[in-house]
């Protein structure tokens, strides 16, 4: 089935109603450039605040998924505009939170950490997603996700620390993570 001829609204409906990973991929293909353009405007400030540029691909997908779930076509906005604003708010929120970090207590830091699985919006979905990842042939995928999203130490969530923990290079850790994201996208209907 070709998704090239479908409107954004139709693809969004496919993702929301059917969990269609092909529709998600088509939307990502069409609009990822918007996310990267917005990120480039804020990347210098975010880098100063220790944002790992290697995270942009997974964070972009999270913002895209949240934008798909929250977009309402009847509100008078087009999806690219909505996505642009969501990505801008993601960057600004990161900068704001990172600037406040030294003032927060350790408990508040732990509570403010957001994860990909929390972005899926429920603990039940997170458990299903993790159990799916645990069944993958490569056990490192599950371990990468556990370290990245369920680690209580903020420093433990950094790619260099994850890579060191599982005994691979930073790039290999990122590739393993990407493989897990791809797997979860293909199995989106089972996680809903």
């Amino acid at each position: 089935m070709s998704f090239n001829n479908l409107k954004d609204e139709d693809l969004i409906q496919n993702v929301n109603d059917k969990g269609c990973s092909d529709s998600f991929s088509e939307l990502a293909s069409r609009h990822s450039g918007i996310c990267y353009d917005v990120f480039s405007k804020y990347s210098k400030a975010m880098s100063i605040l220790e944002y790992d540029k290697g995270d942009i691909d997974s964070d972009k997908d999270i913002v895209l998924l949240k934008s798909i779930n929250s977009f309402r076509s009847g509100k008078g906005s087009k999806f690219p505009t909505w996505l642009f604003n969501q990505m801008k708010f993601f960057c600004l929120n990161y900068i704001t939170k990172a600037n406040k970090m030294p003032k927060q207590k350790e408990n508040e830091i732990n509570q403010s950490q957001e994860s990909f699985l929390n972005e899926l919006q429920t603990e039940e979905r997170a458990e299903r997603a993790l159990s799916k990842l645990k069944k993958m042939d490569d056990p490192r995928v599950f371990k990468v996700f556990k370290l990245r999203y369920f680690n209580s130490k903020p420093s433990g969530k950094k790619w260099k620390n994850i890579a060191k923990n599982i005994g691979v290079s930073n790039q290999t850790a990122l590739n393993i993570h990407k493989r897990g994201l791809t797997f979860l996208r293909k199995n989106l209907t089972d996680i809903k």
Side-chain angles (χ1 to χ4, degrees):
M1 179 177 184
S2 174
F3 293 93
N4 295 341
N5 299 330
L6 293 177
K7 294 179 181 179
D8 286 347
E9 288 80 8
D10 297 329
L11 294 169
I12 290 167
Q13 188 172 0
N14 284 345
V15 172
N16 286 332
D17 294 347
K18 303 172 189 168
C20 179
S21 60
D22 291 332
S23 294
F24 179 85
S25 295
E26 178 63 26
L27 285 164
S29 161
R30 288 181 188 181
H31 302 299
S32 287
I34 292 170
C35 295
Y36 291 124
D37 286 346
V38 172
F39 175 72
S40 70
K41 292 177 185 174
Y42 296 98
S43 63
K44 188 174 182 181
M46 291 171 74
S47 291
I48 291 169
L49 297 168
E50 298 184 10
Y51 181 82
D52 186 349
K53 287 185 180 181
D55 292 347
I56 189 57
D57 288 326
S58 58
D59 288 340
K60 169 200 56 100
D61 287 345
I62 291 168
V63 172
L64 181 61
L65 185 59
K66 284 179 67 177
S67 299
I68 290 168
N69 290 332
S70 62
F71 178 72
R72 302 292 175 260
S73 59
K75 298 283 185 175
S77 175
K78 299 239 184 254
F79 181 70
T81 305
W82 183 253
L83 178 60
F84 174 91
N85 287 327
Q86 296 299 309
M87 191 64 194
K88 182 173 89 172
F89 292 133
F90 166 80
C91 294
L92 292 173
N93 285 338
Y94 178 85
I95 292 167
T96 301
K97 285 180 183 177
N99 278 327
K100 289 181 180 177
M101 287 293 230
K103 299 173 188 168
Q104 293 179 339
K105 295 177 185 169
E106 191 171 329
N107 288 345
E108 293 171 330
I109 291 172
N110 291 336
Q111 290 173 359
S112 70
Q113 294 297 316
E114 292 182 354
S115 71
F116 170 78
L117 299 173
N118 284 339
E119 293 299 324
L120 291 177
Q121 299 185 12
T122 66
E123 286 184 32
E124 186 179 319
R125 287 188 206 166
E127 287 175 22
R128 279 192 235 150
L130 277 177
S131 74
K132 289 218 173 272
L133 290 171
K134 201 170 196 173
K135 294 176 185 174
M136 289 183 70
D137 292 336
D138 187 349
R140 299 177 302 175
V141 176
F142 175 77
K143 190 163 185 178
V144 165
F145 273 75
K146 285 289 279 186
L147 290 169
R148 179 76 179 156
Y149 302 112
F150 292 97
N151 194 338
S152 61
K153 298 178 185 174
S155 63
K157 295 179 181 216
K158 293 187 177 189
W159 288 113
K160 66 179 181 179
N161 295 334
I162 292 171
K164 184 179 178 183
N165 191 302
I166 62 171
V168 297
S169 69
N170 289 3
Q171 187 59 51
T172 301
L174 286 166
N175 291 344
I176 291 169
H177 181 263
K178 188 173 183 179
R179 203 172 331 129
L181 285 176
T182 301
F183 178 80
L184 287 176
R185 274 191 221 110
K186 286 181 181 174
N187 292 281
L188 204 59
T189 53
D190 295 343
I191 297 171
K192 273 196 159 196

